[in-house]
């Protein structure tokens, strides 16, 4: 039975419009902390393992992530219920969620999802997805190569493509990045076109 790790935004939750709107409002009049969201999701993030950000830069980033999380939590969004239901049908050994978003909105949403998760690790738990995945797999008692990771962004692909087994780094076509964008780095068989395709992908 498989071990599954899911990214949150765009894979499990319909937050694109809320995210885009929030980023736009937070960027207004704040050129120092400006984030181009559409650019952010297609580039390797700067807060990965062994990053070169200063302590002050990391403090600013954490503050911005928390501010963003508060706004998103207040704005509201829905989970991709079709995908959640497909996940619930599976017989899995372990499943967890990681995100570069804030636990302020991720934890309440997942608490209502009914998913049986061993870990939910947000930005506040660690800025690097690589290190969060390492922690989860260590707790599960498995190698990183034994887990699937589901993402919707090229940012994740660039961070993890030399870390996750190439057959187990899975893109979802309904998230922030389009299928065409994901195909620039992932093989067609590593892209999930719809939630209903999940069992077939894992059975290959």
């Amino acid at each position: 039975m498989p071990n599954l790790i899911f990214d949150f935004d765009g894979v499990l939750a319909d937050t694109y419009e809320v995210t885009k709107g929030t980023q736009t409002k937070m960027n207004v009049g704040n050129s120092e902390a400006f984030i181009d969201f559409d650019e952010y999701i297609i580039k390797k993030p700067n807060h990965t393992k062994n990053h070169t950000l200063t302590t002050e830069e990391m403090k600013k980033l954490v503050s911005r992530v928390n501010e963003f999380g508060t706004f998103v939590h207040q704005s509201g969004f829905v989970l991709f219920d079709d995908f959640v239901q497909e996940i619930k049908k599976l017989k899995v050994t372990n499943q967890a969620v990681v995100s570069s978003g804030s636990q302020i909105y991720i934890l309440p949403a997942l608490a209502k999802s009914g998913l049986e998760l061993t870990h939910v690790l947000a930005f506040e738990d660690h800025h690097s997805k690589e290190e969060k995945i390492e922690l989860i797999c260590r707790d599960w008692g498995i190698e990183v190569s034994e887990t699937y990771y589901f993402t919707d962004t090229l940012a994740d692909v660039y961070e993890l493509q030399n870390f996750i087994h190439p057959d187990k780094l899975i893109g979802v076509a309904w998230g922030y990045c389009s299928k065409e964008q994901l195909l620039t780095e992932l093989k067609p068989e590593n892209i999930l076109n719809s939630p209903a395709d999940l069992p077939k992908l894992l059975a290959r």
Side-chain angles (χ1 to χ4, degrees), residues 6 15 55 72 76 90 106 108-109 114 119 125 131 158 167-168 183 195:
F6 302 99
T15 58
T55 300
V72 171
L90 298 173
I106 292 167
H119 301 72
D125 299 297
E131 291 177 77
Y158 291 135
D167 290 336
K168 294 185 175 180
L183 279 170

Side-chain angles (χ1 to χ4, degrees), residues 6 25-26 28 42 55 94 99 107 129 147 161 193 201:
F6 302 99
K25 290 178 181 179
M26 289 174 63
V28 173
I42 62 172
T55 300
N94 300 294
S99 178
L107 293 181
K129 290 188 176 178
T147 190
Q161 62 189 170
N193 292 301
L201 182 146

